[in-house]
Amino acid sequence: MKELWDLYGADRAPLGRAHVRGEALPEGCFHLVVHVWIRNSRGQYLISQRAAGRSAFPLMWETTGGSVLAGEDSLAGALREAREELGVTLEPDQGRLAFSRVRDGVKGVRFGDILDVWEFRFDGEADLSAADGEVAQARWMERGEIARLLAEGQMVETLEYFLEGI
């Protein structure tokens, strides 16, 4: 089954049209993407390593995230991505939208998305049995370790905003 995304204008206004993942995104149209930073009571973040078979950024470390599906809002997309990729059930009232930005292009590559960055509180462990081959491993990391992975090029570079603080 094809994955469908809702399309938005740069002002985040819904355009009332769906888009099929993998097809060229129409100029001036954007889709909603979420990044989900999961933080425990000790201040550590649950970070995952992409599986070796992933077409983009194989074996790189990242935070959970992905495209919001047609009919979902940002929060529902964040909760679903955490469940699918890490096997964790987050409580909506334990999350906050840290920031949002429109990314037409990043380093010369057209993204065409509206990125919502979420932070959730969660004390528990990942269960990768439902990850469907997307995630090689997940573990809790301190902020300094995440900064080191970014500096060493072992983490997806579009996450460098983490260094500015969430």
Side-chain angles (χ1 to χ4, degrees):
M1 190 158 95
K2 294 182 180 181
E3 184 174 301
L4 295 177
W5 304 332
D6 289 324
L7 290 177
Y8 299 85
D11 60 357
R12 202 181 181 113
L15 299 177
R17 300 184 350 221
H19 177 77
V20 177
R21 180 183 186 143
E23 293 182 3
L25 200 61
E27 196 65 35
C29 295
F30 298 84
H31 68 104
L32 193 55
V33 169
V34 292
H35 287 175
V36 185
W37 293 89
I38 300 171
R39 186 175 178 186
N40 66 19
S41 58
R42 296 188 313 260
Q44 300 168 314
Y45 292 88
L46 187 56
I47 304 300
S48 60
Q49 185 183 39
R50 295 171 65 85
R54 301 286 302 269
S55 60
F57 307 110
L59 296 177
M60 300 279 291
W61 290 91
E62 67 178 352
T63 192
T64 297
S67 294
V68 174
L69 301 177
E72 285 183 325
D73 63 14
S74 177
L75 176 59
L79 297 172
R80 178 185 48 77
E81 288 290 347
R83 199 171 44 255
E84 287 178 359
E85 293 183 9
L86 296 173
V88 300
T89 300
L90 300 175
E91 296 298 326
D93 64 345
Q94 293 298 305
R96 70 176 183 91
L97 181 63
F99 67 88
S100 183
R101 67 173 57 144
V102 176
R103 301 187 305 175
D104 195 20
V106 177
K107 298 185 180 185
V109 176
R110 175 133 200 275
F111 269 50
D113 66 27
I114 300 168
L115 171 65
D116 283 351
V117 176
W118 288 89
E119 183 179 33
F120 281 86
R121 297 291 181 173
F122 174 78
D123 283 299
E125 294 301 322
D127 175 7
L128 302 183
S129 62
D132 198 26
E134 286 190 44
V135 178
Q137 62 176 316
R139 61 189 183 99
W140 292 102
M141 292 186 190
E142 304 285 341
R143 179 176 283 278
E145 187 173 6
I146 295 169
R148 181 183 58 76
L149 289 173
L150 279 162
E152 294 175 354
Q154 295 181 51
M155 190 163 211
V156 176
E157 66 183 7
T158 58
L159 301 175
E160 58 195 8
Y161 65 79
F162 178 81
L163 300 175
E164 303 164 14
I166 301 179

